[in-house]
């Protein structure tokens, strides 16, 4: 039960911090390495957390209506 709760807290914090593990760890008050180990233990890896964007929020692609007004 605690693992489920911890997983939910970490996922919410990751989303709130644009999936930046560094900012997420800081917001949770833990070291980045501890967050990484907990994520690995809870199986919150690349299948759940987007990779390859350096922690920056993913760029929003405008839809046709936004482009043409």
């Amino acid at each position: 039960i605690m693992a489920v709760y911890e997983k939910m807290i970490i996922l919410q914090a990751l989303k709130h911090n644009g999936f930046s593990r560094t900012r997420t760890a800081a917001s949770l008050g833990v070291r980045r390495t501890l967050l990484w180990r907990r994520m690995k233990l809870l199986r919150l890896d690349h299948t759940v957390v987007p990779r390859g964007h350096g922690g920056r929020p993913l760029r929003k692609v405008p839809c046709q209506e936004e482009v043409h007004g």
Side-chain angles (χ1 to χ4, degrees):
I1 293 176
M2 289 301 290
V4 173
Y5 178 71
E6 187 176 9
K7 197 173 192 176
M8 285 175 29
I9 295 295
I10 291 173
L11 275 173
Q12 287 176 348
L14 282 163
K15 289 177 186 175
H16 180 76
N17 289 290
F19 293 97
S20 166
R21 291 178 180 100
T22 301
R23 289 194 309 258
T24 299
S27 75
L28 293 172
V30 299
R31 291 186 175 152
R32 190 172 45 89
T33 53
L34 175 64
L35 176 64
W36 180 82
R37 284 195 308 263
R38 295 306 297 170
M39 288 175 63
K40 187 173 180 179
L41 180 71
L42 296 168
R43 300 182 191 271
L44 289 173
D45 57 5
H46 65 279
T47 59
V48 176
V49 178
R51 299 180 99 188
H53 63 283
R56 294 181 305 280
L58 298 175
R59 182 174 62 92
K60 180 183 174 190
V61 178
C63 65
Q64 286 291 354
E65 295 155 0
E66 291 174 348
V67 173
H68 297 291

